[in-house]
Amino acid sequence: MNSSTMRRLRVCAAAGLALTGGWMAPAWASGAMATGGLTSQPIGHYDFCKQRPGECSIRPANLAPAVLTDGLMRKLVNVTARVNAAVKPMSDMDIYGKDEVWAYPDKGVGDCEDYVLEKRRQLSRMGMSLADLLITVVRKPDGEGHAVLTVRTDGGDYVLDNLTDKVKFWDQTGYRFLKRQAIDNTGRWVSIRGGQQVLVGSVQ
């Protein structure tokens, strides 16, 4: 494991058929994750929305999952690798002097949710519906919180992660999925498998 990956692991601790080597489609499909009812926003997203209210009141017109093609998967792989390489992992405490600040990594530094925001922004600009680009809070196997981007497709839900350049089915990540944005409103969140509150961006 290289030093950059190890640093990304530390920064976000609290919180195949290869197309360019970045994804693998198993013989069985994982499908879409099951979501529950409305739940609370993560505090970092709540504060993000206060700063950027226009981004948190979008109601996407197209709620259908994206059509999974080789071209789409290449796009996901390329965006994942590009953003992971471009952003230097750094904790919110080091950047802002406090925890749980969600922001675009425009200065080239950020923690896990900042990688998510940038990937979401780039894919949206490429024409993907925000209904298919969902900020998601998970718990890693070691119990620490983390944020990833869920991409909804008609071939199942995939995860874009700053801890790996591989694009994986959501249930092949080893994470426990807690909550994610609602598909029909960028300011609302829904539960996943009865999740629980968790911070997603601090450092051990």
Side-chain angles (χ1 to χ4, degrees), residues 42-201:
I43 185 62
H45 190 248
Y46 174 81
D47 290 338
F48 174 84
C49 289
K50 288 198 298 184
Q51 297 294 321
R52 297 173 176 267
E55 294 201 27
C56 298
S57 58
I58 299 170
R59 296 174 179 268
N62 179 10
L63 300 182
V67 177
L68 181 60
T69 64
D70 285 352
L72 173 61
M73 190 55 67
R74 279 193 293 270
K75 185 183 298 184
L76 301 183
V77 169
N78 290 339
V79 167
T80 296
R82 181 167 64 244
V83 174
N84 285 357
V87 178
K88 177 183 177 181
M90 188 176 293
S91 72
D92 290 332
M93 186 62 67
D94 289 339
I95 301 169
Y96 305 105
K98 60 181 180 179
D99 287 328
E100 288 297 282
V101 179
W102 292 30
Y104 290 108
D106 292 332
K107 295 182 179 180
V109 295
D111 66 357
C112 49
E113 68 273 359
D114 306 336
Y115 287 84
V116 171
L117 288 167
E118 182 59 27
K119 291 170 187 175
R120 180 174 173 268
R121 176 165 68 176
Q122 291 192 19
L123 289 167
S124 175
R125 287 175 175 173
M126 292 176 184
M128 292 194 69
S129 170
L130 289 175
D132 300 327
L133 302 171
L134 306 172
I135 307 169
T136 306
V137 173
V138 304
R139 192 178 294 283
K140 300 192 308 182
D142 63 7
E144 302 293 351
H146 185 46
V148 297
L149 182 67
T150 296
V151 178
R152 298 171 61 238
T153 81
D154 61 359
D157 289 349
Y158 286 87
V159 164
L160 277 56
D161 193 344
N162 69 297
L163 301 184
T164 177
D165 287 346
K166 292 186 179 297
V167 175
K168 300 179 181 180
F169 276 121
W170 69 278
D171 63 358
Q172 293 181 354
T173 61
Y175 298 148
R176 179 184 175 200
F177 286 71
L178 304 178
K179 60 173 74 176
R180 76 180 191 191
Q181 286 177 296
I183 67 171
D184 59 349
N185 188 320
T186 56
R188 293 185 176 181
W189 287 66
V190 294
S191 61
I192 304 168
R193 294 182 172 178
Q196 55 188 288
Q197 294 290 349
V198 61
L199 296 176
V200 298

